[in-house]
Amino acid sequence: MRASARTALIMLSVLLSSCGTLITSITSDISVFHRMPPTLTNATKYSFLRLKGQETSLEHASYEEFIRNDLGKHNFREVQFQEAEVVVIFFYGITQGRQEISSIPIFGQTGISSSHTYGGLYNLGAYPGFSGTTTYVPSYGIIGSMPYSSTEYTRYLSMSIYKRPKTDKEKLEKVYEGKVISSGSSNQLPKIAPYMIRALFKNFPGDNGRTETVTMPFQ
């Protein structure tokens, strides 16, 4: 393989590894504030309260199912609104994305590291000669850089739990507020949201004022 072709191949492999969209994990920043006991010993009766526009959303229903499963793991039992002790409200979204410009290194041949000559003598009379072939071993390294553009999206999800008002005159009293923010190259929220929800419930309800970063393997 000629040096120019080898250099092009190395450049291509670096470019593909840098620009690939393969996602191996989802990292989320979690912040939680609440007035709930660290351990819920009794089954808490709850009901979802959907905001305007969420009532007929199949996407919302899909995320609701993930939250329902995780609440069930923490002694929450879903009931009709009239029987509920608390109501659960959540919303989510994704930004339009921001473009980021960076640079990636270009690898190529930087010179010759060594050479080897093979051959032998001929015409061993009065005028001997030598016939041989020299092989050069090239060296490789960074020979420059090239600009690289990527788009970063911010995905967010917020979940709140309120005490259900007993009368129409009572105000909703918030007892839990959890926020999840995740940034990455994917703008496909339906694929990312389940991992954000799982991260939120990893230490649910956790300590009041808790902030942490949770990384979930992407499958």
Side-chain angles (χ1 to χ4, degrees), residues 7 85 95 108 112 116 118 149 153 174 189-190 206 210:
T7 300
E85 300 171 273
T95 63
I112 302 297
H116 303 281
Y118 303 91
S149 175
Y153 298 91
K174 184 181 290 189
L189 186 59
R210 169 175 59 93

Side-chain angles (χ1 to χ4, degrees), residues 10-110:
I10 296 175
M11 288 174 58
L12 179 60
S13 64
V14 172
L15 185 61
L16 290 176
S17 63
S18 300
C19 303
T21 57
L22 179 64
I23 301 175
T24 58
S25 62
I26 304 297
T27 299
S28 301
D29 293 324
I30 314 293
S31 61
V32 170
F33 296 89
H34 72 85
R35 298 174 182 173
M36 300 172 63
T39 303
L40 304 175
T41 55
N42 298 319
T44 302
K45 299 178 182 179
Y46 79 96
S47 177
F48 284 107
L49 182 61
R50 299 174 183 87
L51 303 176
K52 184 178 180 180
Q54 296 178 341
E55 301 92 339
T56 59
S57 171
L58 296 179
E59 180 182 12
H60 185 85
S62 175
Y63 303 154
E64 192 175 275
E65 183 63 25
F66 286 105
I67 293 177
R68 177 180 293 111
N69 290 337
D70 278 312
L71 284 172
K73 296 175 183 178
H74 291 85
N75 295 326
F76 278 72
R77 181 165 64 90
E78 187 175 13
V79 296
Q80 296 296 321
F81 180 81
Q82 294 78 3
E83 305 174 32
E85 300 171 273
V86 296
V87 293
V88 178
I89 299 175
F90 70 94
F91 61 90
Y92 46 86
I94 186 170
T95 63
Q96 293 182 348
R98 65 181 184 277
Q99 191 177 42
E100 296 185 349
I101 305 297
S102 58
S103 62
I104 58 175
I106 299 176
F107 288 84
Q109 185 174 340
T110 57

